[in-house]
Amino acid sequence: MEKKNIFAHMQDMEAQMESMRTNLGNWKQTVKELMEANQRLSLENEQLRKILKREAPLPLDPASADSTESAALLAAGEGTEEVVGEGYDNLARLYHEGFHICNVYFGHLRTEGDCLFCLSFLNK
């Protein structure tokens, strides 16, 4: 009778070990996904910090007066062609800095070279 009890106990332990192995595999997959996301966000954060340092506006910058002036012209309905060209230039600059400008991945960091969606958008 005792031998049957030991065998049943061993089967229970084996089932518990299989359950723990499955849980460990799930945790490993979750940790892997989190580490990949962390790496991707770290690269994107570093890229954004570089852009921010390069384009930090000065408080008494004459360019800020130009942007205020173009905003006033836009409100008045004048100078729309200049604003459209400026927007296109900004999108092209963002693309060349390594970010997507297409509607599929807008704002995400480009990690695999050129994006056909972004390029077709720029060529419109």
Side-chain angles (χ1 to χ4, degrees):
M1 187 86 167
E2 196 174 299
K3 291 180 183 180
K4 290 182 182 178
N5 194 13
I6 290 174
F7 186 70
H9 185 66
M10 286 178 62
Q11 284 182 331
D12 288 342
M13 285 179 55
E14 186 178 8
Q16 288 176 354
M17 288 174 51
E18 182 65 27
S19 173
M20 287 192 303
R21 187 193 65 76
T22 302
N23 286 340
L24 181 62
N26 291 339
W27 288 353
K28 283 172 59 175
Q29 181 64 29
T30 302
V31 166
K32 178 185 169 196
E33 290 169 0
L34 288 173
M35 289 177 71
E36 288 173 351
N38 187 31
Q39 179 65 25
R40 180 180 50 81
L41 290 173
S42 294
L43 288 173
E44 190 172 345
N45 193 9
E46 181 181 324
Q47 183 75 13
L48 289 172
R49 285 181 193 270
K50 287 179 185 176
I51 293 169
L52 185 62
K53 285 181 183 178
R54 186 174 52 214
E55 295 182 1
L58 298 175
L60 298 175
D61 190 15
S64 64
D66 290 344
S67 65
T68 313
E69 188 177 301
S70 55
L73 285 175
L74 181 60
E78 301 172 3
T80 8
E81 291 129 15
E82 181 181 327
V83 175
V84 172
E86 189 176 312
Y88 178 84
D89 291 342
N90 287 337
L91 287 175
R93 179 183 47 81
L94 282 173
Y95 180 76
H96 290 295
E97 288 174 354
F99 293 97
H100 283 278
I101 59 166
C102 61
N103 62 341
V104 180
Y105 300 110
F106 184 80
H108 289 95
L109 189 63
R110 284 188 300 120
T111 56
E112 298 178 2
D114 289 333
C115 171
L116 295 178
F117 296 117
C118 293
L119 290 174
S120 68
F121 182 75
L122 282 175
N123 289 331
K124 285 184 181 178

